[in-house]
Amino acid sequence: MRVVLQRVKSADVSIENKVVGQIDAGYVLLVAISDNDTEDELDYLVRKITKLRVFEDNIGKMNLSIEDISGQILSISQFTLYADTKKGNRPSFTKAGQPDFANKMYQLFNEKLRDTGLTVATGEFGADMQVQLINDGPVTIIFDTENK
């Protein structure tokens, strides 16, 4: 499983010019699932993401978690994080999870995030989406469960 986390001041996702999800301060998560992923990977990333301390405390040090600031999450499915560009100029996506499995795991991941008490907005799995965000910092962190 791969997740790109961006700390944001605000973000939204639109489909066909209609906003389907939006948040204030928190994280935009770009989420990719592989066929080898299990609930263990989901649980690991939920724990890492919710406990990650990248928000500033009252002395300006990155010492607070998203839970500490009552932040929100915008979770976007993003199979292209598994792009393989080693051969030629057209990426291969064979390492990305099969759509039915990936969608099931993506939905479960979002449920597990919500179970922590956080507000989680989403796009639509497999849809052509437009994501707007105001990156804060910028702070961008990449998680790959193959390297946990």
Side-chain angles (χ1 to χ4, degrees), residues 2-141:
R2 293 181 179 161
V3 174
V4 174
L5 174 151
Q6 293 182 295
R7 186 178 75 180
V8 299
K9 291 186 181 281
S10 64
D12 67 59
V13 59
S14 299
I15 300 172
E16 296 179 1
N17 296 317
K18 181 182 176 196
V19 174
V20 296
Q22 64 184 36
I23 63 165
D24 294 322
Y27 298 143
V28 168
L29 304 179
L30 304 177
V31 181
I33 306 290
S34 78
D35 286 328
N36 297 326
D37 290 328
T38 67
E39 276 198 61
D40 288 342
E41 280 79 19
L42 301 180
D43 292 339
Y44 169 79
L45 285 173
V46 166
R47 191 170 48 256
K48 292 297 281 186
I49 289 165
T50 58
K51 303 302 181 195
L52 186 70
R53 298 184 322 175
V54 295
F55 293 94
E56 293 179 358
D57 61 17
N58 59 357
I59 58 170
K61 184 174 181 180
M62 288 198 307
N63 202 26
L64 301 176
S65 72
I66 192 167
E67 293 172 323
D68 294 330
I69 67 149
S70 299
Q72 301 174 334
I73 291 176
L74 177 58
S75 175
I76 305 293
S77 62
Q78 184 81 38
F79 77 94
T80 59
L81 293 177
Y82 277 107
D84 182 348
T85 59
K86 291 179 185 170
K87 293 182 182 177
N89 295 317
R90 182 175 176 187
S92 168
F93 301 104
T94 57
K95 293 182 181 179
Q98 293 299 308
D100 287 343
F101 175 75
N103 186 20
K104 176 183 164 192
M105 293 295 279
Y106 169 69
Q107 300 303 333
L108 184 56
F109 176 64
N110 293 329
E111 286 176 31
K112 287 176 176 282
L113 286 169
R114 286 184 187 105
D115 287 346
T116 69
L118 292 171
T119 297
V120 179
T122 66
E124 181 181 318
F125 185 91
D128 181 17
M129 296 174 277
Q130 292 70 51
V131 180
Q132 296 186 90
L133 58 94
I134 299 175
N135 202 323
D136 184 14
V139 173
T140 303
I141 296 174

